[in-house]
Amino acid sequence: MVNAQRTFSHLPAQVLEMAHLFDDAGQEIALVGGPVRDAFLGVTPHDFDFATSARPDETEELLSKWADAVWDIGKKFGTIGARKDHIVVEITTYRCDEYDIGSRKPDVTFGDTLEGDLTRRDFTVNAMAMRLPTMALVDPHHGLDDLADGRLRTPVTAQQSFDDDPLRIMRAARFAAQLGIDVDMDVMDAMESMASRLSIVSNERIRAEFERLMVSPYPRRGIEVMVHTGVAAVVIPELDALVDTRDEHRRHKDVYEHTLTVLDQAMDLETGLDGPVPAPDLILRLAAIMHDVGKPATRRFEKDGTVSFHHHEIVGAKLTRKRLKALTFDRHTVDAVTHLVALHLRFHGYGEQAWTDSAVRRYVADAGDQLERLHRLTRADCTTRNRRKAMHLSAAYDDLEARIAQLREQEELDAIRPDLDGSQIMEILNIPPGRDVGRARQHLLDLRMENGPMGQDAAREELLRWWTRQGARD
């Protein structure tokens, strides 16, 4: 309550001016949902969502007297948007919608009371409102008590709530991750029995909730809720398949628990805003939960009683690309996460057999712009309880990073390229653009990787020798 009083006492003057405008017109207006919840948590609201007794036309008319700009893109659902100075608001007429069982599109019905509007909302912690300008809390479903108790409930039965809007199934997992609260058993049961209803929700909306879950403070909690209720089997089945992926005698670590630990450890390695991987980093976190998804398909029980997962990084990269594309992640995210999954085992063996400078250069070149994330994913992937082994792996990676830094001082590792570009190759060899230019460039790049910078004179001599050999071979 102290948090809320402090937060609401600093509401922008423009918001209070707008509230008085509605009040003077005889209309109710209240700040609702997330901004109210966040205020009690001490978080200053940046989104201003309001509910009002005014019908859309009346709302639009009142806002035109206050705002610099008004838009009615959501008018058929009762929502009018407006901006004054830097403050953007959305105001929705009280609603008491009804949904068809097989659809997420409601029959929009306007209501007459704030309490009725709050009853149709997803969870009790989001079903609170602050009447303006009087600053009176309206909390008919005891959302404030649930927030204090760390409990996620629905205003009506969870079954009815999820029938109204199946996306709320994903939102339950997301709020567990975002707020760090426990999902009520009634909600968990409904998630489990109704997970298949997510099939009528667009992949874009599911992805948006999953993305918000992953960048929340406690993504592990959200993932555990998804897996426990069977929601993961619908949304991201490759992750669900990791549960109990180990050998029949349970001598190999549980890949699912290992994955969650890698996620926790990767998050610990995220940096501040000025660092190379600022938290929360979606790409690193997705790579952490997907890095071993190839293991179920590659698990083999060997004759000596051990279990193996040969080439699981290759299989995992293919599965990762397919799943992230299905979830409509953008191309950059898909490519980056897939690349990290494919490379996450490259470091292993460094401690047993020293790498040449050429191998280090290739490691850096192959990682490309994902090198800093690869550093963190590789370190996070060490979850052994054997302290000696963990220290050995950590020291080996320290050594690799030191060698990368040393080579970076000597060479331009971040932009490894041949000593001669395509134009120079064509001029020296007197050839037009084509396949031979690419072959020549690759030869010089291989030499650059193997030996470091050669200088243009030495590169020219080597190029001519190589070209002479090619002519003799032809």
Side-chain angles (χ1 to χ4, degrees):
M1 198 59 87
V2 171
N3 285 338
Q5 289 172 350
R6 182 184 302 114
T7 301
F8 288 125
S9 68
H10 291 91
L11 278 177
Q14 296 94 325
V15 169
L16 295 177
E17 179 187 337
M18 182 201 69
H20 281 291
L21 186 67
F22 275 75
D23 189 53
D24 292 343
Q27 300 291 353
E28 298 176 3
I29 190 165
L31 191 64
V32 293
V36 179
R37 178 200 69 224
D38 289 346
F40 284 104
L41 296 173
V43 178
T44 301
H46 299 288
D47 298 320
F48 294 100
D49 296 325
F50 296 90
T52 182
S53 57
R55 293 307 192 247
D57 287 337
E58 297 171 288
T59 298
E60 189 173 8
E61 181 180 350
L62 287 169
L63 286 176
S64 66
K65 300 176 182 179
W66 168 81
D68 299 325
V70 178
W71 51 91
D72 62 357
I73 192 170
K75 190 172 182 177
K76 68 178 181 179
F77 299 108
T79 300
I80 305 294
R83 174 183 56 79
K84 178 157 187 173
D85 301 328
H86 64 285
I87 303 297
V88 176
V89 301
E90 284 193 350
I91 304 177
T92 303
T93 300
Y94 296 157
R95 283 166 52 171
C96 53
D97 301 341
E98 295 181 355
Y99 289 74
D100 291 330
I101 292 299
S103 171
R104 280 202 66 251
K105 296 181 179 180
D107 294 326
V108 177
T109 305
F110 297 133
D112 298 313
T113 67
L114 177 57
E115 289 78 6
D117 181 87
L118 295 176
T119 296
R120 54 169 284 276
R121 294 180 180 266
D122 53 5
F123 302 104
T124 59
V125 295
N126 297 327
M128 299 184 286
M130 186 64 71
R131 288 190 188 274
L132 299 180
T134 58
M135 297 294 181
L137 176 66
V138 181
D139 183 15
H141 302 287
H142 309 289
L144 188 55
D145 290 337
D146 289 340
L147 191 62
D149 293 338
R151 183 183 181 193
L152 193 70
R153 293 190 306 116
T154 50
V156 294
T157 67
Q159 194 90 14
Q160 179 182 340
S161 181
F162 295 162
D163 256 339
D164 285 349
D165 186 353
L167 185 63
R168 291 173 178 176
I169 295 170
M170 279 297 298
R171 287 170 64 83
R174 191 253 290 181
F175 281 120
Q178 180 179 330
L179 303 176
I181 61 180
D182 294 325
V183 181
D184 198 71
M185 188 55 67
D186 174 53
V187 178
M188 295 273 277
D189 289 343
M191 291 175 72
E192 185 171 3
S193 64
M194 302 178 69
S196 61
R197 285 270 287 151
L198 284 168
S199 62
I200 69 171
V201 182
S202 71
N203 287 339
E204 289 82 2
R205 300 199 71 188
I206 290 174
R207 188 264 308 151
E209 289 296 331
F210 185 59
E211 184 172 330
R212 294 180 72 180
L213 182 158
M214 289 302 301
V215 297
S216 293
Y218 314 101
R220 177 176 183 142
R221 294 179 71 109
I223 290 171
E224 287 175 331
V225 168
M226 288 180 65
V227 170
H228 181 75
T229 59
V231 172
V234 175
V235 174
I236 186 162
E238 296 81 4
L239 182 60
D240 184 72
L242 296 181
V243 178
D244 286 333
T245 301
R246 49 188 168 187
D247 66 85
E248 59 186 350
H249 303 296
R250 296 179 178 262
R251 288 194 293 262
H252 193 277
K253 60 190 173 188
D254 186 322
V255 181
Y256 170 64
E257 289 297 331
H258 163 75
T259 296
L260 295 180
T261 302
V262 171
L263 172 61
D264 289 338
Q265 295 184 166
M267 289 172 59
D268 289 341
L269 294 172
E270 291 173 338
T271 66
L273 291 178
D274 296 332
V277 186
D281 190 86
L282 176 65
I283 290 173
L284 177 61
R285 295 183 183 193
L286 287 174
I289 67 167
M290 300 298 287
H291 78 285
D292 273 350
V293 295
K295 282 191 170 180
T298 58
R299 182 175 58 172
R300 298 290 182 272
F301 298 109
E302 307 296 349
K303 293 180 180 180
D304 61 0
T306 61
V307 63
S308 66
F309 303 98
H310 294 308
H311 306 302
H312 74 268
E313 74 281 11
I314 299 172
V315 174
K318 293 178 180 178
L319 293 173
T320 296
R321 180 174 295 279
K322 183 178 179 180
R323 179 54 50 197
L324 296 187
K325 287 178 68 176
L327 287 172
T328 71
F329 278 96
D330 63 273
R331 182 175 178 180
H332 170 70
T333 299
V334 173
D335 289 346
V337 176
T338 301
H339 195 49
L340 288 167
V341 172
L343 291 178
H344 82 273
L345 287 184
R346 281 285 295 273
F347 161 74
H348 292 278
Y350 178 85
E352 285 73 32
Q353 183 176 355
W355 283 5
T356 62
D357 285 349
S358 172
V360 175
R361 291 188 193 98
R362 290 186 184 279
Y363 185 79
V364 173
D366 289 348
D369 60 0
Q370 298 305 314
L371 181 62
E372 290 292 345
R373 290 189 177 103
L374 183 58
H375 286 333
R376 285 155 178 78
L377 179 61
T378 302
R379 288 185 180 277
D381 196 24
C382 177
T383 62
T384 179
R385 295 180 182 179
N386 185 322
R387 186 177 178 185
R388 184 176 180 181
K389 182 179 180 181
M391 291 177 65
H392 174 74
L393 288 171
S394 179
Y397 209 87
D398 287 343
D399 183 67
L400 175 58
E401 287 200 59
R403 289 187 62 192
I404 291 173
Q406 183 180 17
L407 284 172
R408 184 172 277 131
E409 287 183 7
Q410 300 169 1
E411 312 169 17
E412 294 182 9
L413 271 192
D414 293 331
I416 292 179
R417 56 178 61 88
D419 293 273
L420 300 172
D421 61 25
S423 297
Q424 291 170 308
I425 291 171
M426 289 187 289
E427 181 181 350
I428 293 168
L429 300 182
N430 192 28
I431 59 175
R435 182 168 173 265
D436 284 337
V437 178
R439 292 169 58 206
R441 187 182 185 283
Q442 185 60 50
H443 173 68
L444 292 177
L445 180 59
D446 290 341
L447 290 176
R448 171 73 170 81
M449 289 288 190
E450 192 67 34
N451 304 314
M454 299 172 60
Q456 291 195 357
D457 290 341
R460 184 178 187 279
E461 292 178 10
E462 177 53 41
L463 175 63
L464 291 170
R465 278 196 295 269
W466 174 82
W467 187 242
T468 300
R469 291 197 301 271
Q470 297 307 304
R473 185 178 296 117
D474 293 342

